[in-house]
Amino acid sequence: MEEPTAELIRAQLRRLRNVAGLNQEEFGRLVHYSPSMVSAVETGSRPYDRLFLARADEVLNSGGLLVSLLKMAEREGLPSWLRPWLDAERNARQLRCFHPTLIPALLQTENYARAVIRCDDLLSDADVESRVAARMDRQEVLRQPSPPQLIAVLDEGMLHRREESFRGLMAQQIEHLVVCAERPHLSIHVLPLQVGLHIGLSGPFTLARGAEGGWVASMECQLTTSVIDGDADVATLQSRWEMIRSEALPRRQSLELLKEVETSWI
């Protein structure tokens, strides 16, 4: 989290508390913090968390200001190369997503996201939690009143990758996929194990169509996510998407397969 935004959150917290006519002791009682803890949060000697800010927003009738600022700070803490794609994703009316090795970010549970992000042992615990929170916030695009249509193709192999310590995590994740697949604006298709070599093995990508009809794409690698907006390159990825989608199971069959795999993880 960048320090200017963190200080802005603390300054707004102090301002809102004073406008409400509450001293630190009175405010602390309402948010279940001691006066010394409130003081520590306001001065920056103790970090705040989402739960505290959500409670503060409620007590201070701020209309969600503090949590909104926290989301802004978390986005600022993300790698700069990811931000252009997040803008395209938030404004998309249609999304087409393929990933050969992982559940796509917009369909991940919090625990699955944490396990994936934690694979990078160069990240501190604070960095991991910040990125998990930011990833969960990305999923708000699917819960807005007029969400984009999302079609995702998953490789069946990732659903069977076995490690006993992940049993509960994977059962929860696949249950979440089943719930998502039954929502009207989401369509999840599984590329079955019987499909051998295919163009999707070259790597994951996502296509996004904006409100004005134009398409952009993103391609992930180990170090970065590239935003692709050239007509020829986007057309190539659209063609590859159609080839991958044609190899995947239909929606209903995919849902039945997900339910079978879920049972195997329980």
Side-chain angles (χ1 to χ4, degrees):
M1 182 182 302
E2 295 184 2
E3 185 58 29
T5 309
E7 177 53 36
L8 175 61
I9 291 172
R10 291 193 292 270
Q12 288 300 314
L13 175 62
R14 292 190 296 268
R15 182 186 67 80
L16 290 166
R17 178 177 60 75
N18 288 327
V19 167
L22 298 172
N23 61 35
Q24 290 180 338
E25 182 176 359
E26 293 166 334
F27 176 67
R29 282 199 300 270
L30 294 172
V31 295
H32 312 303
Y33 266 50
S34 67
S36 61
M37 294 287 272
V38 171
S39 176
V41 168
E42 291 187 352
T43 59
S45 59
R46 175 184 169 84
Y48 44 75
D49 58 24
R50 185 174 298 245
L51 183 62
F52 171 81
L53 294 181
R55 181 63 179 152
D57 275 331
E58 180 181 344
V59 167
L60 300 172
N61 296 313
S62 67
L65 173 64
L66 298 174
V67 170
S68 295
L69 289 172
L70 177 61
K71 291 179 180 180
M72 182 188 303
E74 289 167 345
R75 287 195 296 270
E76 290 171 354
L78 291 172
S80 59
W81 44 259
L82 184 58
R83 295 175 199 165
W85 173 249
L86 295 184
D87 289 338
E89 189 176 75
R90 280 193 296 272
N91 295 315
R93 301 313 310 142
Q94 293 179 315
L95 291 163
R96 306 287 184 263
C97 180
F98 169 73
H99 207 302
T101 56
L102 294 171
I103 306 297
L106 291 179
L107 299 174
Q108 291 177 4
T109 64
E110 182 174 338
N111 287 333
Y112 183 94
R114 183 175 289 106
V116 170
I117 293 170
R118 208 176 279 283
C119 288
D120 185 351
D121 58 9
L122 297 178
L123 296 176
S124 67
D125 288 346
D127 288 336
V128 169
E129 292 307 314
S130 177
R131 294 194 182 192
V132 169
R135 185 161 300 183
M136 293 300 100
D137 284 341
R138 285 174 63 183
Q139 297 179 7
E140 289 297 320
V141 71
L142 301 179
R143 292 187 283 269
Q144 59 187 343
S146 298
Q149 178 200 51
L150 169 64
I151 301 177
V153 176
L154 318 177
D155 195 292
E156 184 183 354
M158 79 175 75
L159 304 176
H160 297 288
R161 184 166 295 161
R162 294 282 172 177
E163 183 173 336
E164 198 61 28
S165 63
F166 290 156
R167 177 171 293 276
L169 180 153
M170 284 302 297
Q172 179 191 53
Q173 174 63 71
I174 298 173
E175 178 185 17
H176 178 66
L177 289 177
V178 169
V179 172
C180 288
E182 294 177 330
R183 293 162 67 182
H185 63 284
L186 292 178
S187 183
I188 298 177
H189 301 266
V190 178
L191 197 63
L193 292 172
Q194 292 88 337
V195 176
L197 294 176
H198 59 85
I199 192 64
L201 294 175
S202 299
F205 64 92
T206 302
L207 293 155
R209 178 180 177 273
E212 297 181 358
W215 287 87
V216 295
S218 74
M219 296 183 64
E220 300 177 32
C221 71
Q222 286 280 348
L223 297 178
T224 188
T225 293
S226 300
V227 177
I228 311 296
D229 56 9
D231 290 345
D233 290 336
V234 169
T236 297
L237 289 175
Q238 287 176 319
S239 176
R240 293 188 177 189
W241 163 261
E242 293 299 331
M243 287 188 279
I244 294 166
R245 172 66 187 85
S246 69
E247 295 279 10
L249 297 174
R251 183 176 185 175
R252 181 52 55 184
Q253 287 180 249
S254 295
L255 180 57
E256 293 304 316
L257 178 56
L258 286 171
K259 290 178 179 179
E260 291 176 14
V261 175
E262 179 187 2
T263 301
S264 74
W265 276 104
I266 296 175

